[in-house]
Amino acid sequence: MSDVVTIVGQGLYLALAAVIGLGIARILRIDNTLGCLIAGVLAALLLPVIEYDTGLRATSLRELVFFVILPVLIFESAWQLEPKILKRWIGPILLFSTLGLVVCAFLIAAITYYGIGHPQGFPWVAALLTGAILAATDPVSIVNLLRRGQSGQDVVTLIEGESLFNDAAAVVFYSLMLGLATYSLMEGSAMGLEAPSLSAGSVALYFCMIFFGGVACGLVFGLVTTLIILFLRSPSAALMTLVIAAFSSFYLAESVLKVSGIISVMVCAIVARSCLRRQSKTYLADAEPTWEWLGLLFTAIIFVIMGLVITFEMFTHQWLAMLIATAAALGSRALSVVLIAPLTRFVGPPIPKSWRLLMSWGGLRSVIAVALVLSLPVELPYWWTIQSMVFGVVLFSLLVQGTTSARLIKKLQL
């Protein structure tokens, strides 16, 4: 009973801090994520004064992030995509979220590994984990700017769809690298890449099994969700079914089938939205507002948690690592877009140069990167270094990229 009370108390505390953060954002006229980050920092300063223990621990954040927060965020993003336009751009989106993701992740890993230059304290596996986390982009503010400016649905769908598929693939890649890091820790390997049983072929096969297994699970769940909603014929029951589908598709994939839960949730949302498009004004009239406030709540909670765990020592002890990671994230994203964009004409419509520039600068690191780094096991000796680096990149994205993107969009006449 005490555990239940603790969990409820944690939820209420985080939700209250999130609401305060949204209020701060409105008063200061800044982005909601920044307001919630400030609220989290203030809450961290207040906790020792009032002698209140939230019960939140680094060791328990992984379950909260993966099984509660990420399913809602991924489902909400996937539900926003327009199926017809997504079909038009699915080729370029898949190319960016597979080959582009791998290129970006390995570039970030190489730059951070050689930039830090401390193989014992920051081995290759740590660099690969950093690359997997920072390869995930989340241009929510860019998409909102494009929509408010009444930009074409094509550019909005391309950027939002690439981000969604990119995030899903990044989570799979992150899980793979985390398993390698855990194995290396148990083996006591200094370099972290000496597992004799691993090869490029076995890693690729494992990745495909996890990825396409998640696709199959999400497809089945999406069809079952559709049938249930059509059978119940009730707006309230439809919303309830969608929320249950988001959590259950993730749990079944991860815990039972041992495939990617994030891919499963994403595909489930896309399939259900496509099959139920005729019910968008009947049973699902309130679906978008519902997922919008759920996405806002959980995004706010993620940044409140970031504010709670961020420390001044990160900036004094890890400032150089933060700068290296920021440069690596910016340069790798730009280079991956430059390398992949010309290839998209073979799998779909060509991407204009102005869109490529927006994709490079607008590839913000935000909620997904924060969610992944918060779920790092504290048993890894380099977890705090990676967390500091990712927090530094996220702050740069919010304070610099996010605030200058409106001018870029205006200059590019999008």
Side-chain angles (χ1 to χ4, degrees):
M1 187 66 178
S2 59
D3 292 338
V4 175
V5 173
T6 300
I7 293 173
V8 172
Q10 291 174 358
L12 290 175
Y13 183 85
L14 292 174
L16 177 60
V19 172
I20 294 174
L22 296 176
I24 292 174
R26 181 171 179 81
I27 294 172
L28 300 180
R29 296 183 180 180
I30 56 178
D31 190 76
N32 287 335
T33 52
L34 274 177
C36 293
L37 178 63
I38 294 172
V41 173
L42 294 177
L45 296 175
L46 181 63
L47 288 176
V49 177
I50 63 176
E51 297 182 351
Y52 177 73
D53 184 7
T54 63
L56 287 172
R57 300 291 184 271
T59 53
S60 63
L61 285 178
R62 177 174 173 80
E63 286 72 22
L64 173 65
V65 168
F66 262 78
F67 286 91
V68 179
I69 295 178
L70 279 184
V72 171
L73 296 180
I74 296 296
F75 197 101
E76 187 266 338
S77 297
W79 189 264
Q80 298 294 333
L81 295 176
E82 185 62 40
K84 290 183 179 179
I85 304 178
L86 176 63
K87 183 179 179 181
R88 169 180 168 84
W89 290 100
I90 192 64
I93 286 173
L94 288 176
L95 190 61
F96 273 110
S97 59
T98 52
L99 182 59
L101 171 79
V102 172
V103 170
C104 185
F106 276 94
L107 283 173
I108 293 173
I111 295 172
T112 53
Y113 177 78
Y114 289 108
I116 292 177
H118 192 268
Q120 286 73 36
F122 193 78
W124 259 113
V125 70
L128 289 171
L129 269 173
T130 306
I133 294 171
L134 291 179
T137 59
D138 190 26
V140 175
S141 59
I142 308 300
V143 172
N144 290 336
L145 288 171
L146 290 171
R147 283 177 174 160
R148 285 201 296 267
Q150 297 182 343
S151 301
Q153 280 294 317
D154 285 281
V155 63
V156 173
T157 302
L158 174 62
I159 292 177
E160 190 171 24
E162 188 265 338
S163 170
L164 174 64
F165 281 77
N166 177 293
D167 291 345
V171 173
V172 177
F173 188 56
Y174 165 83
S175 300
L176 182 61
M177 292 300 104
L178 184 59
L180 183 60
T182 305
Y183 176 89
S184 302
L185 182 64
M186 291 188 299
E187 291 295 310
S189 170
M191 291 301 292
L193 291 175
E194 298 176 7
S197 60
L198 292 179
S199 64
S202 62
V203 170
L205 178 61
Y206 178 77
F207 183 90
C208 290
M209 290 175 59
I210 295 295
F211 187 92
F212 290 107
V215 171
C217 181
L219 177 62
V220 172
F221 247 96
L223 293 175
V224 171
T225 300
T226 300
L227 293 176
I228 293 174
I229 290 175
L230 292 177
F231 174 75
L232 295 176
R233 295 177 178 271
S234 166
S236 299
L239 292 177
M240 181 181 68
T241 303
L242 288 177
V243 173
I244 293 174
F247 289 107
S248 56
S249 60
F250 182 89
Y251 179 81
L252 180 66
E254 286 282 338
S255 301
V256 180
L257 301 178
K258 306 300 181 183
V259 296
S260 173
I262 294 299
I263 299 292
S264 177
V265 170
M266 180 188 72
V267 174
C268 175
I270 293 174
V271 170
R273 172 71 188 273
S274 299
C275 295
L276 295 169
R277 59 186 180 275
R278 293 183 180 179
Q279 278 69 43
S280 59
K281 295 183 179 179
T282 54
Y283 312 135
L284 298 174
D286 297 325
E288 286 198 18
T290 299
W291 284 111
E292 184 178 352
W293 76 257
L294 281 173
L296 176 62
L297 172 63
F298 283 94
T299 299
I301 287 176
I302 277 286
F303 279 91
V304 167
I305 296 175
M306 178 180 171
L308 285 170
V309 302
I310 200 169
T311 61
F312 182 72
E313 287 75 15
M314 288 183 176
F315 300 95
T316 57
H317 296 170
Q318 302 288 346
W319 63 270
L320 182 57
M322 286 181 172
L323 292 178
I324 293 172
T326 302
L330 290 173
S332 300
R333 172 65 179 179
L335 186 57
S336 65
V337 171
V338 169
L339 292 175
I340 302 301
L343 303 177
T344 58
R345 67 179 184 272
F346 299 110
V347 293
I351 299 177
K353 291 184 178 180
S354 59
W355 294 15
R356 301 178 193 180
L357 182 58
L358 182 61
M359 290 177 69
S360 298
W361 185 250
L364 280 67
R365 275 68 174 187
S366 185
V367 61
I368 300 298
V370 174
L372 291 180
V373 80
L374 286 175
S375 67
L376 275 178
V378 295
E379 291 79 15
L380 297 175
Y382 38 76
W383 75 274
W384 192 65
T385 301
I386 297 179
Q387 190 176 93
S388 302
M389 295 165 69
V390 172
F391 283 1
V393 175
V394 170
L395 286 174
F396 181 88
S397 291
L398 295 177
L399 297 174
V400 180
Q401 290 176 271
T403 56
T404 58
S405 294
R407 299 178 186 175
L408 180 62
I409 292 173
K410 186 177 181 180
K411 188 173 182 179
L412 295 175
Q413 298 181 346
L414 295 178

